[in-house]
Amino acid sequence: MEQRVVNEKDLNDLLVWATNHGYVELPLDDKVVDSVLQSTPEEISERVKNHFKSRLKERLIEEAISSARICIPWEGLPFGRYLEAVRSRAGLSREVVAARLQKTDEYLHRIERGDTSPVQLPVSEIVVILELFHIGLHAATQMLQASDRVSESKQNYRAAARSHGGVRHDIRSEDVEKALDAFARKLLKNKGKEWQSPDRAETAGFMTKVETELKKRGRSDLLG
Amino acid sequence: MDEINSTEFLKRLQEGSLEAYEYLVGKLLTPLRRFLSHTMNLPEPDAEELADDVFLQVHRKIKEYKPGPAKLTTWIFQIAKNQAIDYYRKATSQPPVSHLDPAKLRTDDFQYARRNQQMLDWLLREMQKLSETDQHILLWRSRDIPYVQIAEWLGINETAARVRHKRATEKLLANGGEFR
């Protein structure tokens, strides 16, 4: 190999390389950054900025949900209540998550509350929810089955409550509805294995379609 | 930028306010992209993507930021600089030295097998012998920052910046710089 003598151009190239790769620290301090911010470069259009803002907002929502779901065990929880727990833990309002799903606040509220059974929704909509909350097929199936059981249980209590002069469930407050949910789950748990209501064929059939949709979307990470 | 560097705004960022992050994008997207493409020499599409990642990193690390040593805006630009460094480290290929024609070596062809590692070691060693001001002048001039701007950052006059740059370069090149 021939000998190589460093000249001024080489020196500059070497300095650039060394700073690009972190071997030499580029001196970024307040003075440098302030002058960068004060210089008036050509502005990016509002349309492009808004695109970046939307994209960042989506990513922040996904990150918040991703961090929150680690702290919320899904076992035994109805599907809607799980979504609500994760959303709440992530510090996100229902409006923000609904907007991310491109749905209304009321749509998400009905799912969280259990008023809309997930199996009544189009498969594509449930899959979007599973993707956002990163819920695998097994967990989703278990939670939908839990939703079915709690829902059946609550039906009986509602009927009993109305016959004793209680209010209809659709005008019952959120707190009372949540308490009723938790009560129903607890009673189911106490009844033990001999009282497992049969898992609905409707749910099983629905989940088969969900599985197909996940495969179509290449979401093998959610098939477990 | 005073609002961004305020305690109140920092608190909103640390609380995860989406509106605060949107405001940050509105104010810093243009200068960050420009810094990444013009100062850190990233190709435009990569600068655009990296600028996006900078805001995500800010969100992840915001609780680590402590006011005092540097403004929040400076801290954010340092994140951008580090993102650029990561980009270059991933992008560098390592062709064998013997396949390189020394006459055709360019910045992005530099790979640090035996000879180029010697060059890097030499540079790091010789830079340490220079004053901090001279090091800064060399580093910023290598990125074509005008003397007048460098002088302002360092609190010296433009002529002094030019003279010091010339002398520092001559000193480095006089101290060896022959490699096999």
Side-chain angles (χ1 to χ4, degrees):
Chain A
M1 186 182 294
E2 62 188 73
Q3 195 170 0
R4 177 68 185 273
V5 177
V6 174
N7 57 34
E8 193 168 339
K9 186 189 175 312
D10 290 335
L11 176 60
N12 272 341
D13 287 348
L14 199 51
L15 283 166
V16 170
W17 195 98
T19 44
N20 281 353
H21 288 78
Y23 289 101
V24 178
E25 188 75 23
L26 198 60
L28 266 187
D29 58 21
D30 285 346
K31 252 192 187 170
V32 172
V33 174
D34 283 349
S35 80
V36 168
L37 292 171
Q38 278 158 23
S39 66
T40 48
E42 60 286 354
E43 269 292 334
I44 297 172
S45 70
E46 277 310 308
R47 190 181 59 80
V48 171
K49 276 192 195 176
N50 287 339
H51 165 73
F52 268 88
K53 285 180 191 176
S54 299
R55 202 159 77 176
L56 178 67
K57 194 169 174 177
E58 279 185 14
R59 291 175 85 180
L60 292 181
I61 291 170
E62 285 160 17
E63 284 232 331
I65 289 175
S66 188
S67 300
R69 68 182 190 87
I70 294 166
C71 307
I72 308 288
W74 55 263
E75 290 84 358
L77 274 184
F79 186 78
R81 289 299 176 203
Y82 175 76
L83 297 189
E84 185 190 29
V86 170
R87 178 182 60 70
S88 180
R89 176 79 190 205
L92 299 170
S93 69
R94 196 178 293 122
E95 290 82 1
V96 161
V97 176
R100 172 67 183 79
L101 294 169
Q102 297 183 329
K103 294 293 180 189
T104 62
D105 170 41
E106 180 57 26
Y107 169 94
L108 185 59
H109 191 198
R110 290 183 62 80
I111 295 175
E112 287 183 351
R113 200 173 138 116
D115 293 340
T116 299
S117 169
V119 301
Q120 292 165 343
L121 297 172
V123 168
S124 56
E125 288 181 16
I126 278 297
V127 165
V128 167
I129 295 174
L130 297 186
E131 285 180 322
L132 179 61
F133 284 80
H134 214 268
I135 301 172
L137 199 62
H138 171 72
T141 306
Q142 297 293 306
M143 285 193 276
L144 288 191
Q145 287 167 353
S147 297
D148 289 342
R149 289 195 283 272
V150 166
S151 184
E152 260 186 52
S153 206
K154 274 163 64 174
Q155 294 279 46
N156 298 332
Y157 309 137
R158 284 178 187 144
R162 279 199 303 277
S163 73
H164 285 78
V167 298
R168 292 196 333 259
H169 83 276
D170 54 329
I171 55 174
R172 199 176 290 130
S173 75
E174 190 64 33
D175 286 345
V176 171
E177 194 64 26
K178 277 188 195 171
L180 194 55
D181 255 6
F183 179 64
R185 290 202 304 275
K186 192 160 183 185
L187 276 183
L188 282 170
K189 195 174 164 189
N190 288 349
K191 282 183 179 175
K193 285 186 183 168
E194 69 277 8
W195 199 88
Q196 290 291 323
S197 69
D199 296 327
R200 291 185 189 159
E202 188 189 3
T203 302
F206 180 75
M207 292 313 293
T208 303
K209 291 178 189 168
V210 168
E211 185 179 0
T212 306
E213 183 65 21
L214 285 171
K215 282 179 181 168
K216 211 163 62 167
R217 292 181 185 218
R219 293 308 303 262
S220 54
D221 57 316
L222 296 180
L223 291 176
Chain B
M1 298 300 158
D2 285 344
E3 174 160 1
I4 291 177
N5 288 314
S6 71
T7 314
E8 181 53 41
F9 190 77
L10 173 63
K11 189 162 170 273
R12 287 175 62 203
L13 289 177
Q14 289 177 335
E15 286 168 355
S17 159
L18 292 177
E19 288 75 23
Y21 281 96
E22 285 184 327
Y23 181 81
L24 203 63
V25 170
K27 289 291 180 188
L28 295 188
L29 182 62
T30 304
L32 273 174
R33 277 174 69 172
R34 183 175 166 82
F35 170 73
L36 287 168
S37 61
H38 287 55
T39 306
M40 298 304 293
N41 306 127
L42 262 62
E44 279 282 352
D46 295 317
E48 187 179 304
E49 198 174 310
L50 238 62
D52 210 18
D53 289 342
V54 167
F55 293 108
L56 206 57
Q57 281 290 85
V58 169
H59 178 256
R60 286 174 186 157
K61 295 184 172 193
I62 192 67
K63 289 187 177 160
E64 294 172 18
Y65 170 72
K66 298 281 177 275
K71 292 181 186 178
L72 178 63
T73 42
T74 303
W75 181 77
I76 292 172
F77 270 74
Q78 285 166 349
I79 289 178
K81 183 192 75 175
N82 291 338
Q83 292 278 88
I85 289 172
D86 288 344
Y87 165 91
Y88 280 113
R89 284 179 174 173
K90 280 181 204 158
T92 302
S93 61
Q94 299 285 334
V97 174
S98 59
H99 292 172
L100 290 175
D101 176 354
K104 290 180 184 169
L105 274 174
R106 293 174 301 124
T107 303
D108 53 3
D109 282 342
F110 266 116
Q111 55 80 25
Y112 284 85
R114 204 174 123 253
R115 180 169 73 184
N116 291 337
Q117 186 60 50
Q118 287 174 352
M119 283 179 165
L120 179 63
D121 289 343
W122 164 82
L123 177 69
L124 296 176
R125 199 170 52 240
E126 293 305 314
M127 286 282 282
Q128 289 305 308
K129 295 176 186 172
L130 301 174
S131 70
E132 193 177 87
T133 301
D134 287 348
Q135 287 181 38
H136 288 193
I137 294 171
L138 276 172
L139 291 170
W140 287 121
R141 271 308 292 165
S142 71
R143 292 181 182 270
D144 296 325
I145 303 293
Y147 284 111
V148 62
Q149 180 67 84
I150 297 172
E152 188 189 314
W153 289 342
L154 297 176
I156 58 180
N157 67 50
E158 188 185 339
T159 307
R162 285 180 188 276
V163 167
R164 289 182 77 152
H165 179 239
K166 186 166 182 289
R167 286 187 186 151
T169 305
E170 285 169 354
K171 190 174 174 183
L172 276 178
L173 295 179
N175 289 344
E178 292 178 8
F179 303 96
R180 211 172 265 289

